[in-house]
Amino acid sequence: MSDAAERDVAVVGCGPAGCAAAVFAARDGLDVAVFDRGRSSLARCAHLENYPGFPAGVDVGTLSDLFRAQAERAGCAVVDDLVESVERAAGDDGGPAGRPEADEPRFVVTPQEGEPVTARRVVAATRYDGEYLRGLDDDEAMFAVRDHGDETHEHFDREYADRDGTTPVDGLYVASPSDADRQAITAAGRGARVGKRVVADARIDDGWWPEAAAGVDWVRREAELDDEWAERDRWVEWFDAEHADGPVDPDSDRFARVREAAVDDARSSYVGADDEAVRAAAGQRALAERLDPDAIVDAHGPDALLDAMDDGAIAAHAAGDGSGPSAGDPASDGGDR
Ligand SMILES: Cc1cc2nc3c(=O)[nH]c(=O)nc-3n(C[C@H](O)[C@H](O)[C@H](O)COP(=O)(O)OP(=O)(O)OC[C@H]3O[C@@H](n4cnc5c(N)ncnc54)[C@H](O)[C@@H]3O)c2cc1C
């Protein structure tokens, strides 16, 4: 196992729960692998009509592609493979006494085809499956038995994990199966919550204290910053005031290091108008790339796509005057491909 790829986080499943957890973790800079193959609840929906953001619903093939694309864009490695087992890495007994050092992996994740991966944290996000976790804790704790007439069936206990995904096993989180997994949007919400827990725990491993580690993943407009908050010193002052009575000595190196990182993090969440335009165009393009023009034309006629476009843009394209966005324009994605 010594040459296994080492990740901060391995997420099992890239449905609504897994995608959300993976995106939150990767956006905070964690090195995340997402495994995705096998039985999927999402794939069984005929058409998803109650997931916010899709006025006429969305077919699950498109939504799954979007989930994977979003995970990749956030920096995750998306691995098309089925996880067969998650085991403790050598030296981890799952409790505080056997806890490996903060930067050491706790788990070995073994997929069906590819190489095993080691990870410090594992997020299970598979509505139909929990079997690959067997052995990490007592079966009675993880699995529940249900009667079906004369037969009994064992299934992963939806209440095994807390609502933020934490479990009695250090570093193991469960986003799904859970009591939130019966609707796609609630599964996504649970995944997001678990992703935020993973981020906070990784920061705590790195010396942050809980109040400092809990943050928001927001992208904000620079225009909302008034002159006072444009200065770094104002943020330092804010952090000092927030944490003066916290568990860590404000004069310590540890406090200074965490403050530096927290202030950098908060300030980097502000983007200028140009950056906002680039992001908006990249978002539009990522959606456009996943449309199926043939299906739209078949169902709604040859003019359906043209109707959705600006007449000026069509005329420019037809004239071949090359007036589309270039790589330097805000409207260009600058790196999505
Ligand atoms: C028939 C049907 C219709 C439904 N219709 C709706 C609806 O209209 N609206 C609604 O809100 N909800 C609907 N649902 C519920 C919805 O599908 C779930 O709430 C949602 O998909 C749960 O998301 P999840 O991420 O927890 O799990 P899943 O959607 O099951 O995603 C899990 C992902 O993990 C992968 N995976 C599984 N095991 C492994 C493994 N061992 N290794 C690697 N990858 C793995 C799977 O391939 C899948 O991509 C429906 C469910 C069914 C069965």
Side-chain angles (χ1 to χ4, degrees), residues 76-150:
C76 304
V78 178
V79 186
D80 185 358
D81 209 341
L82 182 90
V83 170
E84 290 191 322
S85 68
V86 178
E87 294 160 294
R88 288 185 202 289
D92 181 25
D93 72 358
R99 187 176 291 169
E101 291 301 312
D103 57 351
E104 285 180 15
R106 295 188 178 104
F107 302 104
V108 180
V109 179
T110 305
Q112 197 170 50
E113 290 175 358
E115 291 298 307
V117 161
T118 62
R120 180 146 180 87
R121 295 171 216 284
V122 166
V123 178
T126 50
R127 178 167 188 235
Y128 286 143
D129 196 7
E131 191 54 36
Y132 55 88
L133 301 175
R134 196 180 285 276
L136 289 175
D137 199 351
D138 293 341
D139 281 0
E140 305 84 72
M142 276 189 160
F143 294 89
V145 176
R146 198 185 288 154
D147 290 330
H148 286 277
D150 292 344

